[in-house]
Amino acid sequence: MKILIPDTIPLTPELPDGWEAVVIDAREAIPAEHHDAAVLVVWGASRRHLASAAEHLGELRLVQSLSAGIDGILAAGFGPGVEIAAGAGLHSLTVSEHALALLLSLLRRLPESREAQQRHEWSAELGGLQPLHPEGRLTTLIGARVLIWGFGQIGQNLAPTLQALGAEVRGAARSAGTRNGIEVIAEEDVLAALPEVDVLIDILPATEQTTGAVGREVLAALPDHAILINVGRGATVDQDALRQALEAGTLGSAGLDVTTPEPLPAEDPLWHAPRLLITPHAAGGRPVGADERISMNLRALVDGTERLHVAAR
């Protein structure tokens, strides 16, 4: 039996007896000699690659994505007999790190400090004696009220770190309850909660329901000093509304790791929005535990047991 491994990441999963791993170009069509593969691992694949796999891999039983998002794989047209497993959880640590980095950079005004450094200016405004909670500006996580919208594995990983730094953390998900000791409110209650939120962290997936979820109404409901962080999907934020809120001063600042489209065009006015920090979809990009996930799902496939994070289709 054959498993196809992408050349975009070094992988050495443990294989069951009788299985062979073949490294292939993730940007090109699947070579004819490998059309008998039973498992395909996807990371950084081109549309051409996925379309070729969907069309030609007649023995395919499982597509193992190393990305949490699998929209491109679902759109490729794999048959109903092919399971598609997401890489949920493989990016929890790295995306949590990046979300925290964006947030702390904005709280501690690191972009302004960098600008002052370039001017060779020891800024009295940025350093020296500072109030902990100045009027109209958020400068610390101590006592900050944080809402993580999209409270999956990444949010549950991030929440304890924020709490350790002094924040009061809640999650928002489709249903209310408690997850890992964190209070979770239902999505329909988010709007009412926003006036008491200092930091809104968006980790929403891209779906029909979440497109533009962080729009004018949500941004208007947040306090003027609030910070928005998006490490979910670019489509979940109305970028025009975000830019206008930053320009009007009705939002304190924002950090985006994702945009629509990607890459963000050089002429897009979002680049010029004040108090905005943009990173080029850098939060993930390094799945942690990929070999173990591939091995577990491959063994489950061989044993006929349940595979992890298989998408409903």
Side-chain angles (χ1 to χ4, degrees):
M1 301 290 282
K2 186 180 294 181
I3 176 172
L4 302 182
I5 302 289
D7 63 352
T8 46
I9 181 174
L11 292 169
T12 55
E14 184 178 336
L15 305 180
D17 291 340
W19 281 78
E20 170 195 11
V22 177
V23 177
I24 58 171
D25 189 335
R27 300 294 180 180
E28 299 296 332
I30 309 290
E33 63 266 30
H34 300 313
H35 286 180
D36 58 343
V39 175
L40 173 69
V41 179
V42 174
W43 180 244
S46 67
R47 291 181 182 177
R48 179 183 182 188
H49 183 79
L50 292 174
S52 169
E55 181 179 358
H56 297 298
L57 301 189
E59 305 299 318
L60 193 64
R61 298 173 60 192
L62 173 68
V63 176
Q64 175 65 66
S65 174
L66 301 184
S67 173
I70 56 173
D71 298 345
I73 299 174
L74 293 173
F78 288 96
V82 179
E83 289 186 328
I84 299 175
L90 300 182
H91 304 274
S92 294
L93 291 173
T94 55
V95 176
S96 294
E97 278 185 338
H98 201 84
L100 185 61
L102 287 171
L103 178 54
L104 291 177
S105 293
L106 293 168
L107 284 172
R108 291 297 183 163
R109 302 180 70 183
L110 297 189
E112 291 97 320
S113 293
R114 179 62 175 171
E115 292 170 3
Q117 179 182 343
Q118 291 173 335
R119 297 191 301 268
H120 298 188
E121 175 188 333
W122 189 270
S123 173
E125 180 192 359
L126 298 173
L129 304 181
Q130 301 282 335
L132 184 62
H133 296 292
E135 184 69 27
R137 195 174 76 226
L138 189 66
T139 64
T140 178
L141 280 172
I142 300 170
R145 300 160 299 181
V146 179
L147 180 64
I148 302 175
W149 195 358
F151 201 65
Q153 293 190 40
I154 295 170
Q156 291 173 53
N157 182 81
L158 176 60
T161 304
L162 296 172
Q163 287 180 316
L165 292 172
E168 302 169 8
V169 183
R170 291 193 295 174
R174 279 178 285 189
S175 58
T178 302
R179 298 187 188 177
N180 288 353
I182 303 294
E183 178 192 355
V184 178
I185 65 173
E187 287 183 338
E188 56 263 30
D189 297 325
V190 165
L191 195 62
L194 291 178
E196 303 301 321
V197 168
D198 299 308
V199 178
L200 176 61
I201 300 178
D202 176 357
I203 320 181
L204 290 167
T207 67
E208 259 185 57
Q209 292 72 32
T210 62
T211 298
V214 182
R216 297 182 192 282
E217 190 175 18
V218 164
L219 295 170
L222 287 165
D224 290 353
H225 66 261
I227 295 175
L228 169 68
I229 302 293
N230 186 11
V231 289
R233 290 292 182 264
T236 64
V237 172
D238 181 335
Q239 292 175 178
D240 287 337
L242 172 61
R243 175 177 53 81
Q244 290 165 14
L246 289 167
E247 290 173 347
T250 56
L251 185 69
S253 57
L256 305 180
D257 185 54
V258 287
T259 62
T260 301
E262 292 184 2
L264 188 66
E267 66 277 7
D268 195 296
L270 189 65
W271 289 110
H272 302 290
R275 304 178 309 286
L276 174 63
L277 182 57
I278 299 175
T279 55
H281 207 142
R286 295 148 290 184
V288 178
D291 282 331
E292 293 78 5
R293 177 65 58 82
I294 294 166
S295 297
M296 288 176 65
N297 268 353
L298 188 55
R299 172 54 63 185
L301 185 69
V302 171
D303 293 343
T305 55
E306 185 177 358
R307 270 68 73 190
L308 294 173
H309 302 294
V310 172
R313 301 174 63 195

